[in-house]
């Protein structure tokens, strides 16, 4: 008889893309780091009800009545039972999260990772299929995911990622701070990814050129990280933002926060993640400056901010 734990638990952090979002979908490199200040936790236990139930900030009730925005999770759960040859049973699932949803912090990959891990542990299975479950969920959530979110969140390591290449994990030892500002507006990664895909069809030359330039900037940012040159890194981040704006994936609220950060003395600033809302990041070499930028972002309407040291992981 298979062994089942009384409770399966899984957790996952968010992620921040330092450079290369969108271009990474089309084969160019991107650099991303785990964002450990935000976290999703998933708990799986046997249900007293006849049907599976889910308890989350967005929906609480029977899993088969969950809203469409949870399709990626309900489908992943079905896929999990089929893949592991398990008979479906009514489970009680609880999800609690401090990762803002649809803000470019990888919340969809994080919830899929945390829940897969909780299911795997509940049934005492090996985690060899974890990657498949998250990929299944991400495909439903995003349409055409590059895989960078899933990788950073699963490994919890900083990584330079390019499709069809072996990812390079690296340590971050930069003498500086990242300030993260949330516009409070939901972005739409799938819409933004689709828009770039459309632009590649309607204006292939210009769009390819922009993506290629972003790819080169990512290489430059990676080099400045290796050389621990934070001023250089900041300049490339700002260039990256200009190109993302040109691609049409930024938003007035993001542009405004980026401008505010730069006017307050940031070494560089850009949107992060899918865009069209969501979050931006700024770079500072001193904690005092980071705090000043944080205050300026909040004064300019940022819903929430975080300061993250860039050394020591
Ligand atoms: O918005 P997020 O956190 O899901 O980040 C998306 C990053 C993109 O490059 C826009 C898409 C992808 O799959 O890499």
């Amino acid at each position: 008889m298979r062994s089942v734990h009384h409770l399966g638990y899984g957790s996952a952090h968010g992620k921040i893309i330092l450079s290369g979002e969108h271009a990474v979908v089309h084969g160019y490199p991107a650099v991303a780091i785990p964002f450990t200040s935000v976290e999703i936790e998933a708990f799986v236990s046997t249900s007293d009800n006849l049907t599976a139930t889910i308890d989350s900030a967005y929906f609480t009730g029977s899993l088969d009545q969950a809203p469409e925005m949870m399709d990626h999770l309900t489908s992943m759960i079905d896929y999990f039972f089929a893949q592991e040859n398990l008979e479906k049973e009514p489970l009680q699932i609880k999800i609690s999260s401090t990762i803002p949803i649809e803000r470019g912090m990888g919340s969809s990959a994080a919830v899929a990772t945390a829940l897969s891990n909780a299911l795997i542990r509940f049934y005492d299975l090996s985690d060899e299929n974890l990657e498949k479950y998250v990929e299944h969920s991400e495909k439903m959530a995003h349409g055409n995911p590059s895989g960078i979110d899933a990788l950073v969140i699963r490994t919890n390591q900083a990584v330079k990622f390019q499709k069809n290449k072996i990812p390079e994990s690296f340590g971050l030892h930069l003498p500086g701070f990242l300030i993260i500002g949330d516009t409070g507006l939901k972005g739409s990664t799938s819409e933004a990814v689709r828009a770039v895909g459309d632009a590649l069809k309607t204006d292939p030359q210009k769009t390819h050129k922009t993506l290629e330039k972003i790819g080169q900037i990512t290489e430059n940012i990676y080099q400045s990280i290796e050389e621990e040159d934070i001023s250089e890194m900041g300049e490339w981040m700002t260039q990256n933002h200009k190109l993302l704006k040109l691609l049409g994936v930024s938003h007035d609220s993001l542009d405004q926060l980026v401008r505010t950060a730069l006017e307050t003395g940031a070494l560089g600033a850009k949107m992060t993640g899918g865009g069209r809302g969501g979050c931006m990041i700024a770079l500072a070499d001193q904690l005092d400056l980071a705090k000043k930028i944080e205050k300026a972002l909040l004064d300019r309407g940022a819903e929430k901010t975080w300061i993250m040291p860039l050394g020591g992981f």
Side-chain angles (χ1 to χ4, degrees), residues 45-68:
S45 55
T46 310
S47 174
D48 298 332
N49 299 308
L50 292 174
T51 58
T53 59
I54 187 151
D55 175 358
S56 73
Y58 295 92
F59 172 77
T60 295
S62 174
L63 198 59
D64 53 19
Q65 281 165 20
E68 214 179 300

Short mmCIF file of all heavy atoms in Angstrom, two decimals, residues 45-68:
data_model
loop_
_atom_site.label_atom_id
_atom_site.label_comp_id
_atom_site.label_asym_id
_atom_site.label_seq_id
_atom_site.Cartn_x
_atom_site.Cartn_y
_atom_site.Cartn_z
N SER A 45 -3.88 18.18 2.16
CA SER A 45 -4.29 17.18 3.15
C SER A 45 -5.55 16.48 2.65
O SER A 45 -6.14 16.90 1.64
CB SER A 45 -4.53 17.83 4.51
OG SER A 45 -5.46 18.87 4.39
N THR A 46 -5.96 15.43 3.33
CA THR A 46 -7.17 14.72 2.93
C THR A 46 -8.39 15.57 3.26
O THR A 46 -8.43 16.22 4.30
CB THR A 46 -7.25 13.38 3.70
OG1 THR A 46 -5.99 12.74 3.54
CG2 THR A 46 -8.33 12.48 3.15
N SER A 47 -9.35 15.56 2.32
CA SER A 47 -10.54 16.38 2.53
C SER A 47 -11.64 15.59 3.22
O SER A 47 -11.79 14.39 2.98
CB SER A 47 -11.03 16.88 1.17
OG SER A 47 -12.24 17.57 1.33
N ASP A 48 -12.42 16.27 4.05
CA ASP A 48 -13.60 15.62 4.65
C ASP A 48 -14.76 15.66 3.66
O ASP A 48 -15.77 15.00 3.83
CB ASP A 48 -14.04 16.38 5.91
CG ASP A 48 -12.95 16.34 6.96
OD1 ASP A 48 -12.16 15.37 6.94
OD2 ASP A 48 -12.88 17.28 7.77
N ASN A 49 -14.62 16.50 2.62
CA ASN A 49 -15.70 16.65 1.64
C ASN A 49 -15.60 15.56 0.58
O ASN A 49 -14.62 14.83 0.51
CB ASN A 49 -15.59 18.01 0.94
CG ASN A 49 -15.71 19.13 1.94
OD1 ASN A 49 -16.65 19.17 2.72
ND2 ASN A 49 -14.73 20.01 1.94
N LEU A 50 -16.63 15.53 -0.27
CA LEU A 50 -16.61 14.53 -1.35
C LEU A 50 -15.80 15.03 -2.55
O LEU A 50 -15.38 14.25 -3.39
CB LEU A 50 -18.05 14.21 -1.79
CG LEU A 50 -18.86 13.45 -0.74
CD1 LEU A 50 -20.30 13.29 -1.19
CD2 LEU A 50 -18.24 12.08 -0.46
N THR A 51 -15.63 16.33 -2.63
CA THR A 51 -14.85 16.87 -3.75
C THR A 51 -13.61 17.57 -3.20
O THR A 51 -13.56 17.94 -2.02
CB THR A 51 -15.66 17.92 -4.55
OG1 THR A 51 -16.05 18.95 -3.64
CG2 THR A 51 -16.87 17.31 -5.20
N ALA A 52 -12.64 17.76 -4.10
CA ALA A 52 -11.43 18.48 -3.71
C ALA A 52 -11.77 19.94 -3.44
O ALA A 52 -12.60 20.52 -4.14
CB ALA A 52 -10.41 18.36 -4.82
N THR A 53 -11.12 20.53 -2.47
CA THR A 53 -11.38 21.94 -2.16
C THR A 53 -10.09 22.74 -2.20
O THR A 53 -9.00 22.19 -1.99
CB THR A 53 -12.02 22.11 -0.77
OG1 THR A 53 -11.12 21.57 0.20
CG2 THR A 53 -13.37 21.44 -0.67
N ILE A 54 -10.24 24.01 -2.48
CA ILE A 54 -9.07 24.90 -2.47
C ILE A 54 -9.40 26.14 -1.65
O ILE A 54 -10.52 26.66 -1.70
CB ILE A 54 -8.61 25.24 -3.92
CG1 ILE A 54 -7.30 26.01 -3.90
CG2 ILE A 54 -9.67 26.02 -4.70
CD1 ILE A 54 -6.45 25.79 -5.12
N ASP A 55 -8.42 26.56 -0.89
CA ASP A 55 -8.59 27.74 -0.04
C ASP A 55 -7.44 28.68 -0.39
O ASP A 55 -6.28 28.37 -0.11
CB ASP A 55 -8.53 27.26 1.42
CG ASP A 55 -8.56 28.41 2.42
OD1 ASP A 55 -8.59 29.57 1.97
OD2 ASP A 55 -8.56 28.13 3.62
N SER A 56 -7.76 29.78 -1.07
CA SER A 56 -6.71 30.72 -1.44
C SER A 56 -7.27 32.14 -1.38
O SER A 56 -8.48 32.32 -1.22
CB SER A 56 -6.22 30.44 -2.88
OG SER A 56 -7.21 30.86 -3.80
N ALA A 57 -6.38 33.13 -1.54
CA ALA A 57 -6.84 34.53 -1.46
C ALA A 57 -7.80 34.84 -2.60
O ALA A 57 -8.60 35.77 -2.49
CB ALA A 57 -5.64 35.46 -1.51
N TYR A 58 -7.73 34.10 -3.71
CA TYR A 58 -8.53 34.43 -4.89
C TYR A 58 -9.81 33.63 -5.01
O TYR A 58 -10.76 34.05 -5.64
CB TYR A 58 -7.67 34.31 -6.16
CG TYR A 58 -6.59 35.33 -6.08
CD1 TYR A 58 -5.36 35.02 -5.53
CD2 TYR A 58 -6.85 36.65 -6.44
CE1 TYR A 58 -4.38 36.00 -5.37
CE2 TYR A 58 -5.90 37.63 -6.28
CZ TYR A 58 -4.67 37.30 -5.75
OH TYR A 58 -3.74 38.26 -5.58
N PHE A 59 -9.83 32.47 -4.41
CA PHE A 59 -11.03 31.64 -4.47
C PHE A 59 -10.97 30.61 -3.35
O PHE A 59 -9.93 30.00 -3.10
CB PHE A 59 -11.11 30.92 -5.83
CG PHE A 59 -12.21 29.91 -5.91
CD1 PHE A 59 -13.53 30.32 -6.09
CD2 PHE A 59 -11.94 28.54 -5.79
CE1 PHE A 59 -14.56 29.39 -6.15
CE2 PHE A 59 -12.95 27.61 -5.85
CZ PHE A 59 -14.27 28.04 -6.03
N THR A 60 -12.11 30.40 -2.71
CA THR A 60 -12.21 29.34 -1.71
C THR A 60 -13.46 28.55 -2.03
O THR A 60 -14.54 29.13 -2.20
CB THR A 60 -12.29 29.92 -0.29
OG1 THR A 60 -11.03 30.58 -0.03
CG2 THR A 60 -12.48 28.84 0.76
N GLY A 61 -13.32 27.26 -2.17
CA GLY A 61 -14.49 26.42 -2.46
C GLY A 61 -14.07 25.15 -3.16
O GLY A 61 -12.91 24.72 -3.09
N SER A 62 -15.06 24.55 -3.82
CA SER A 62 -14.81 23.29 -4.51
C SER A 62 -13.90 23.52 -5.72
O SER A 62 -14.12 24.47 -6.48
CB SER A 62 -16.18 22.74 -4.94
OG SER A 62 -15.97 21.61 -5.71
N LEU A 63 -12.92 22.67 -5.88
CA LEU A 63 -11.92 22.87 -6.95
C LEU A 63 -12.57 22.89 -8.33
O LEU A 63 -12.14 23.63 -9.22
CB LEU A 63 -10.87 21.75 -6.87
CG LEU A 63 -9.55 21.99 -7.59
CD1 LEU A 63 -8.83 23.22 -7.09
CD2 LEU A 63 -8.65 20.76 -7.45
N ASP A 64 -13.64 22.08 -8.50
CA ASP A 64 -14.25 22.05 -9.83
C ASP A 64 -15.09 23.31 -10.12
O ASP A 64 -15.61 23.48 -11.21
CB ASP A 64 -15.05 20.75 -10.08
CG ASP A 64 -16.07 20.48 -9.00
OD1 ASP A 64 -16.42 21.44 -8.29
OD2 ASP A 64 -16.51 19.32 -8.86
N GLN A 65 -15.20 24.18 -9.13
CA GLN A 65 -15.89 25.46 -9.39
C GLN A 65 -14.91 26.64 -9.37
O GLN A 65 -15.31 27.81 -9.36
CB GLN A 65 -16.97 25.69 -8.34
CG GLN A 65 -18.22 24.88 -8.64
CD GLN A 65 -19.15 24.80 -7.46
OE1 GLN A 65 -19.08 25.62 -6.54
NE2 GLN A 65 -20.01 23.80 -7.48
N ALA A 66 -13.63 26.32 -9.38
CA ALA A 66 -12.61 27.39 -9.34
C ALA A 66 -12.69 28.24 -10.61
O ALA A 66 -13.03 27.72 -11.67
CB ALA A 66 -11.22 26.77 -9.21
N PRO A 67 -12.40 29.55 -10.51
CA PRO A 67 -12.50 30.42 -11.69
C PRO A 67 -11.44 30.08 -12.75
O PRO A 67 -10.44 29.42 -12.45
CB PRO A 67 -12.24 31.81 -11.12
CG PRO A 67 -11.51 31.59 -9.85
CD PRO A 67 -11.96 30.27 -9.32
N GLU A 68 -11.70 30.58 -13.96
CA GLU A 68 -10.84 30.29 -15.10
C GLU A 68 -9.37 30.63 -14.82
O GLU A 68 -8.48 29.93 -15.29
CB GLU A 68 -11.35 31.13 -16.27
CG GLU A 68 -11.18 30.44 -17.62
CD GLU A 68 -11.72 31.34 -18.72
OE1 GLU A 68 -12.94 31.65 -18.66
OE2 GLU A 68 -10.94 31.73 -19.59
#
